[in-house]
Amino acid sequence: MYRSRVPDLGRARLLLPVAVFALCGGLLQTPAASAHADGKPYPAECPWMNTAKSAGDRARILLQAGTLDQELRWLVEQPANQPATTTFGGTTYPAQLPCTPNVTYTDGPDTVRGSSGVTAFPAQIGLAATWNTDLAYAKGKAQGDEAFRKGKNVVLGPGVSSGRTPLAGRTPEYLGEDSLLGGTLAAAQTNGLQKGNPDRPTMAVLKHYVANEQELDRLASSSNLDERTQHEVYDLPFEVAIDGSSPGGVMCSYNQINGTYACENPLLTDNLRKQLGFDGYVVSDFFAVHSTSASLKAGLDQELNRPLYYTPDKLKAALNAGEISRKQIDEAAYRVVKAYIKAGLFDHPLPATPEGDVSTAAHKQLARKIVTDGSVLLKNQDDILPLSAKARKIAVIGPTASNTATNGVSASTVCGMSGFGAGLCTNPVAPLDAITERAARTGATVTYNNGADPAAAAAAAADADVAIVFGYSKMGEGSDRTNLNLDGNGDALISAVAAANHNTVAVLETGSAVLMPWQNDVKGILEAWYPGEQQGTAIARLLWGDDNPSGRLPMTFPKSLADLPTQTDEQYPGVFADGSTTRTAGDTSIRQVNYSEGLAVGYKWYQAKNIAPLYAFGHGLSYTSFSYRDLTVQATKQGLQVSYEVTNTGRRTGTDTGQVYVTLPKSAGEPSKRLVAFKQVELRPGQHKQIKVTVTRSAADHPLSVWDTRKGAWATPSGTFTVETGSSSADLPLKKTITLP
């Protein structure tokens, strides 16, 4: 019989006291009961339940007590998480040791997916547009609470990416195109999930590692990129998130990286663990495993769902053939068990019966707050917003404004992302209902047209003082967008309405950037993203100025598809061996996607190529105004001390999100400036405040460094650094240059 040989991982091997753990004739001899150091009892047959010990020590104790087959259960999701069940898809295991928890995974970057009675929060891209770490933490805490009460204690999320193309189907599931912004918000949400509810703990699984930037052929494509781009662009948001939160797990992605699948790629160990500092366990995406030995050796600890490549037979065969070692099995199981214990899953059992409706009034208020703070006022010509008392007749136009579907489209359609894994949102607060209610408070009347007939919509708009037209585009997991136009003939609809009424406001409900051929024809543009169940209330309050917009774009909005960083077929969507972009029937070859744009991704591409975007990264208007002055920059051995003064120069209270960018010396070979800090402050009219930020060269986002491929390490170049401060990547009125010591 195999016995587990748990790795010491650099420590002295733990030997269990004979009085607690004595094996004799295959029987475990223990006292009748033991106690924690604080007096709380634990079952004597389960010494790994002693909470006085560290998570690592407890994991060692448990694994040393079991057989190899019991240990192998931890390497697959279903056997690991259902300890009393013995058969999974035709594969049989022995029952797991006692006192091991039932664990249930749930998909959930945005909401607790697949469950009714939960809060339908806005899409993650909307959370990113808040630039608010407190909201990200609160969202994680609320989501963790709902997940646990629904009988789910591992949340597969949040997710980060680098926003290589706005066409990518899962753009609304991620946190924007900048590593610092996305990684920081992911860390805050992870901390909310893992620390927000100590008595109802959940564990977060950060995803999808790595260079997972398109849905098209996601299971059969290779992201081909150089070492420096890997570190500076695609590893970096993970590094920032891991440094700020220590997620229990990281999920490897479907795609290949430079010809090797992510879940069997040495990057899992060489980069993720050794360089990014991740110390949890790596779990695959659904059916993202393609091997047994290669995956285990690379650092994949757990196969998601049922056993396919990590079956006991395949693992034992690989072990007997010398393809893998027992130490590698032990280390994988140890990482899983340690993460479970550290997250509190062993010590806080799931409820025996999941609750029904777990959405609370506070959670709904939070969902509304995220829409409010994440909606971005892109344009406000002639101060068309907030709506004034002069707006006596208001036309609301477009199918997503109403809960009554038009050609299958309603407010529910844009609650969140579509496609596989979308959350449930059957009865949101519709914008039409909230606008009608809010208008009544000022004696205004509202007429509605679903927009199916642009001519009829234009007629309704012509008879109104103000026309509010809703445009939408659907996207989600499983496919990419083929264009950045609005769905449902939305561009033509907005153009028709704007032609009929010069006081037209467009409200956009999208998961990514969209083109706006009608931009010059409307006076106001509000990007609300996929705004969740509380969409109507939040949008109405913003339109009337009950709340002041404070959202900032977490991604660049281009003027045309021709302006995107992915200029060639080889870059996107990628090509096959014959140079074609279309997969023929029966072809199982790998689509080659060349990341030849290198470091020039997102706003860095537009700045490097001097391409003016439609709306720049970081852009967002307010119903008040702000000015910046007195930038000072001081160099220290640790980095930079930056301070500036911001003043509310308008007539109402508002929130400013000041952004600090640094351009490295020319010798660094960087495409453009980079975001190194951001800070929000709420100011009353006339109020000013001195903002101070520290830019530390050793921080996880390496703000003053580049990846040196010769040294295989981060290095700070010598020369002149330029520091700029302002309200967006394209609006930076303050500038200083400085030489670092």
Side-chain angles (χ1 to χ4, degrees), residues 421-576:
L424 300 176
C425 184
T426 56
N427 190 34
V429 179
L432 174 61
D433 297 338
I435 289 171
T436 301
E437 180 182 349
R438 181 61 180 83
R441 288 163 51 184
T442 62
T445 59
V446 174
T447 59
Y448 173 65
N449 183 282
N450 62 25
D453 179 359
D463 193 42
D465 297 320
V466 175
I468 303 171
V469 56
F470 285 74
Y472 73 97
S473 66
K474 297 192 295 182
M475 63 194 307
E477 183 174 357
S479 63
D480 290 338
R481 295 279 306 180
T482 58
N483 59 63
L484 293 179
N485 301 110
L486 294 176
D487 291 345
N489 206 28
D491 292 318
L493 174 64
I494 294 177
S495 294
V497 170
N501 189 322
H502 66 279
N503 289 325
T504 292
V505 175
V507 178
L508 304 179
E509 295 172 301
T510 72
S512 184
V514 290
L515 306 180
M516 303 180 197
W518 37 262
Q519 183 216 16
N520 293 330
D521 302 326
V522 301
K523 285 192 174 181
I525 306 172
L526 181 70
E527 172 62 80
W529 312 102
Y530 292 151
E533 65 171 52
Q534 297 299 310
Q535 54 185 279
T537 305
I539 290 171
R541 289 180 60 85
L542 287 169
L543 291 174
W544 264 272
D546 301 323
D547 294 314
N548 194 348
S550 60
R552 300 291 185 269
L553 287 182
M555 63 184 302
T556 304
F557 277 43
K559 289 183 178 179
S560 73
L561 287 178
D563 292 342
L564 297 181
T566 49
Q567 297 275 299
T568 67
D569 288 342
E570 287 78 13
Q571 291 173 285
Y572 181 85
V575 298
F576 297 98

Side-chain angles (χ1 to χ4, degrees), residues 225-235 598-599 664-671 674 705-709 714 717:
L225 61 160
D226 63 73
E227 178 186 346
R228 182 173 174 180
T229 299
Q230 174 78 49
H231 284 272
E232 291 195 25
V233 180
Y234 299 99
D235 276 357
L599 307 176
L664 273 58
K666 289 184 178 180
S667 62
E670 290 291 295
R674 58 176 64 170
S705 301
V706 298
W707 182 258
D708 189 329
T709 56
W714 291 92

Side-chain angles (χ1 to χ4, degrees), residues 108-112 121 124 127 132-148 155 157-158 185-197 200-204 363 366 370:
D110 41 13
T111 188
V112 183
F121 287 102
Q124 290 288 91
L127 177 65
N132 189 318
T133 55
D134 290 340
L135 277 181
Y137 179 92
K139 190 270 179 77
K141 178 178 179 179
Q143 190 178 355
D145 173 73
E146 293 188 4
F148 189 91
V155 174
L185 293 174
Q189 186 177 356
T190 296
N191 285 331
L193 283 164
Q194 296 190 155
K195 299 178 180 179
N197 308 287
R200 298 182 299 280
T202 53
M203 181 171 66
H363 294 174
L366 174 62
I370 294 172

Side-chain angles (χ1 to χ4, degrees), residues 359-674:
S359 179
T360 67
H363 294 174
K364 293 181 183 299
Q365 173 69 17
L366 174 62
R368 193 189 87 187
K369 176 68 171 172
I370 294 172
V371 185
T372 300
D373 289 10
S375 293
V376 183
L377 183 61
L378 297 175
K379 181 179 180 179
N380 196 23
Q381 181 182 335
D382 299 333
D383 293 330
I384 186 68
L385 295 176
L387 296 175
S388 70
K390 295 180 181 179
R392 307 301 296 170
K393 295 189 294 182
I394 301 169
V396 175
I397 298 166
T400 60
S402 172
N403 274 334
T404 300
T406 300
N407 298 322
V409 176
S410 69
S412 294
T413 303
V414 293
C415 222
M417 59 184 282
S418 56
F420 174 79
L424 300 176
C425 184
T426 56
N427 190 34
V429 179
L432 174 61
D433 297 338
I435 289 171
T436 301
E437 180 182 349
R438 181 61 180 83
R441 288 163 51 184
T442 62
T445 59
V446 174
T447 59
Y448 173 65
N449 183 282
N450 62 25
D453 179 359
D463 193 42
D465 297 320
V466 175
I468 303 171
V469 56
F470 285 74
Y472 73 97
S473 66
K474 297 192 295 182
M475 63 194 307
E477 183 174 357
S479 63
D480 290 338
R481 295 279 306 180
T482 58
N483 59 63
L484 293 179
N485 301 110
L486 294 176
D487 291 345
N489 206 28
D491 292 318
L493 174 64
I494 294 177
S495 294
V497 170
N501 189 322
H502 66 279
N503 289 325
T504 292
V505 175
V507 178
L508 304 179
E509 295 172 301
T510 72
S512 184
V514 290
L515 306 180
M516 303 180 197
W518 37 262
Q519 183 216 16
N520 293 330
D521 302 326
V522 301
K523 285 192 174 181
I525 306 172
L526 181 70
E527 172 62 80
W529 312 102
Y530 292 151
E533 65 171 52
Q534 297 299 310
Q535 54 185 279
T537 305
I539 290 171
R541 289 180 60 85
L542 287 169
L543 291 174
W544 264 272
D546 301 323
D547 294 314
N548 194 348
S550 60
R552 300 291 185 269
L553 287 182
M555 63 184 302
T556 304
F557 277 43
K559 289 183 178 179
S560 73
L561 287 178
D563 292 342
L564 297 181
T566 49
Q567 297 275 299
T568 67
D569 288 342
E570 287 78 13
Q571 291 173 285
Y572 181 85
V575 298
F576 297 98
D578 61 0
S580 68
T581 61
T582 304
R583 183 181 295 278
T584 58
D587 183 8
T588 59
S589 63
I590 301 299
R591 181 186 295 272
Q592 302 298 316
V593 185
N594 296 330
Y595 286 35
S596 54
E597 69 282 355
L599 307 176
V601 175
Y603 62 90
K604 297 174 185 177
W605 162 263
Y606 294 88
Q607 293 172 357
K609 300 300 181 182
N610 198 28
I611 298 173
L614 185 64
Y615 292 108
F617 173 82
H619 170 74
L621 302 176
S622 169
Y623 293 151
T624 190
S625 56
F626 301 93
S627 66
Y628 300 85
R629 57 175 291 178
D630 296 340
L631 172 65
T632 64
V633 182
Q634 180 181 0
T636 68
K637 290 183 178 180
Q638 290 73 37
L640 300 173
Q641 294 287 344
V642 180
S643 69
Y644 61 93
E645 183 180 281
V646 58
T647 302
N648 184 339
T649 56
R651 293 178 293 179
R652 60 176 296 169
T653 297
T655 297
D656 176 65
T657 302
Q659 301 160 43
V660 180
Y661 294 81
V662 168
T663 302
L664 273 58
K666 289 184 178 180
S667 62
E670 290 291 295
S672 74
K673 63 178 69 77
R674 58 176 64 170

